Amino acid sequence: MGGAVVVGGGLAGTLAAAALLGHVETVTVVERDRYPEQPAFRKGVPQGRHLHVLLSGGRRALEKMLPGINAELEAAGAHRLEAPRDVITKAANGWQRRFHEGRHATLSCTRALLDATVRARVLAGAERSGTRVEVLQAAEVTGLLGGADRVTGVRLRSRAAERAERELPADLVIDASGRGSRAPKWLDDLGHRAPREEVVDAGIGYCTQMFRPAAPWDMVMVIQPRPDCPRGAAWSPVEGGNWLLTLAGVRGHHPPTDGSAVPDFVRSLGEPALDDHLRSCEPVSPPYGFRDTANRRRHYDARGGVPEGFLAVSDAACTFNPIYGQGMSVAALSGLALRRCLSDGGPLRPGFTARAQHAVARASDTAWLTAVGADRPYATASDATPPGVAERVQSWYFERLAARAAIDPVVGAAFRDVTYLAAPSSRLLSPAVALRTVLLPRAQGLPTPPLRVEA
């Protein structure tokens, strides 16, 4: 059956290890940090303090990999939220209608809670799988072993002390080290060309601050940027009775990381309900900022993109603007895609990594298209390839579709199917959706927040 090394012990690495259980003899997870004894922020997860949601597509994929995990997360304090019933959204054309659709349930909790719960579940499952799992904490991979055609292991060293590098052989190396992955250089060092990269950077920055409300509030609120105010916000519950406020803005409109300046930024959004509510909330943390929000795709899935024995997953291969909350769901979808590939043939089978890399890339397609579609209007000419005629038509269509989704149940259902990663983007081109998008007038949303759910 062979052995595997997973580079990175975050959510993506943990789910990659879960996919490997029962298909290899050993899995060694190499993690730069030390895991805290209780759920807590750690440096190796730079977005860990920010708002995280598990979209319905990712939630379903996670449940298939780890049956019962969603109930376990809810029992630990995660909030199950149904869209659009439990979410009031202000788009560029007004407020979206709110009704009980029954199609998409998401989970909102801190990243620390999600990581700790999934990690404990996977490590417990390893004992029953026949696969021995070892986690090397405070260790880092410094390079790959092998040659241009096959990777045979990794070089690593301990970060706890000045120790010499050592070699760790493996039949399969999975890079789950996130957006800071050094695998392109490692492959280049072996004589294998680095993957082609595609980048779209809207220059969005965001900050997140935790609060404890004094007055009841039972709705998630999302305020999307609009042409006259390229700023946005999200207000969502997490475990422990706390809520997270995430503020975002494009270049020149980045939110503050000074807590005293947060109220002014919120007032600039022009939504008095959120402004008034925050006045009664007690800050639990300072605001934490994040600026590395470029969408970046490394095309390992291209022909000859990976040597035998190497695979890149999740953010190491395709990373999205975190403001859209897709990363955790894509990690779950990628883990499920990897497990299906392993079920069709183990990692020692010729051509396995190329097939698995293609499957993992397809698991990222919908998230990539929606994130890039939303960000490209804000990207400068130096940040992205100028759009051609086809892309301009797509942008026109998507803008009309997003506006109509705010009030039209048919178009809205399709829009949520795609943006919640539960259906491919082709769902937006079905005849019923396309006709309503193109032939009906450009839609206007509601003028005021929908405080009640429509019957």
Side-chain angles (χ1 to χ4, degrees), residues 237-452:
V238 293
E239 68 275 10
N242 295 321
W243 286 62
L244 290 181
L245 173 69
T246 292
L247 305 173
V250 300
R251 297 176 182 87
H253 294 269
H254 287 170
T257 54
D258 176 359
S260 64
V262 165
D264 287 339
F265 189 94
V266 172
R267 277 192 292 274
S268 75
L269 300 174
E271 184 39 56
L274 180 60
D275 184 21
D276 292 343
H277 176 64
L278 283 173
R279 294 175 189 273
S280 67
C281 296
E282 176 188 357
V284 177
S285 78
Y288 295 96
F290 193 80
R291 299 288 185 266
D292 184 11
T293 61
N295 302 280
R296 184 183 305 275
R297 191 164 203 174
R298 298 182 173 105
H299 284 278
Y300 289 111
D301 56 313
R303 185 177 180 85
V306 289
E308 292 284 353
F310 176 82
L311 178 66
V313 300
S314 297
D315 279 0
C318 188
T319 185
F320 322 94
N321 186 341
I323 202 71
Y324 303 121
Q326 300 168 314
M328 297 194 308
S329 295
V330 170
L333 290 164
S334 298
L336 185 60
L338 174 58
R339 190 176 74 175
R340 287 170 175 164
C341 288
L342 287 161
S343 298
D344 292 337
L348 297 180
R349 187 175 177 181
F352 167 79
T353 49
R355 290 192 300 275
Q357 192 69 66
H358 183 79
V360 167
R362 298 293 75 78
S364 302
D365 277 352
T366 299
W368 174 259
L369 290 171
T370 54
V372 167
D375 277 3
R376 193 176 286 280
Y378 299 102
T380 65
S382 61
D383 294 322
T385 304
V389 174
E391 189 169 335
R392 289 198 296 270
V393 171
Q394 291 174 0
S395 297
W396 173 86
Y397 179 80
F398 186 81
E399 182 186 13
R400 288 181 66 89
L401 186 145
R404 177 141 296 277
I407 64 166
D408 188 317
V410 174
V411 178
F415 184 77
R416 282 181 285 276
D417 284 351
V418 174
T419 55
Y420 282 73
L421 305 184
S425 57
S426 58
R427 171 88 167 86
L428 301 179
L429 298 175
S430 67
V433 174
L435 289 172
R436 298 175 79 87
T437 296
V438 174
L439 298 181
L440 294 178
R442 191 181 188 282
Q444 290 298 316
L446 304 177
T448 59
L451 300 183
R452 290 185 175 83

Side-chain angles (χ1 to χ4, degrees), residues 91-94 224-231 250 253 377-378 399 442:
N93 65 326
Q224 298 175 356
R226 58 187 189 272
D228 64 317
C229 183
R231 300 178 174 189
V250 300
H253 294 269
Y378 299 102
E399 182 186 13
R442 191 181 188 282

Side-chain angles (χ1 to χ4, degrees), residues 142-155 167 173 182-194 306-310:
T142 59
L144 300 173
L145 303 177
D149 295 327
R150 174 173 286 277
V151 170
T152 59
V154 300
R155 293 193 306 274
E167 296 185 350
V173 175
R182 292 178 288 167
K185 180 181 183 305
W186 295 341
L187 291 173
D188 185 67
D189 290 343
L190 293 182
H192 190 285
R193 70 179 184 275
V306 289
E308 292 284 353
F310 176 82

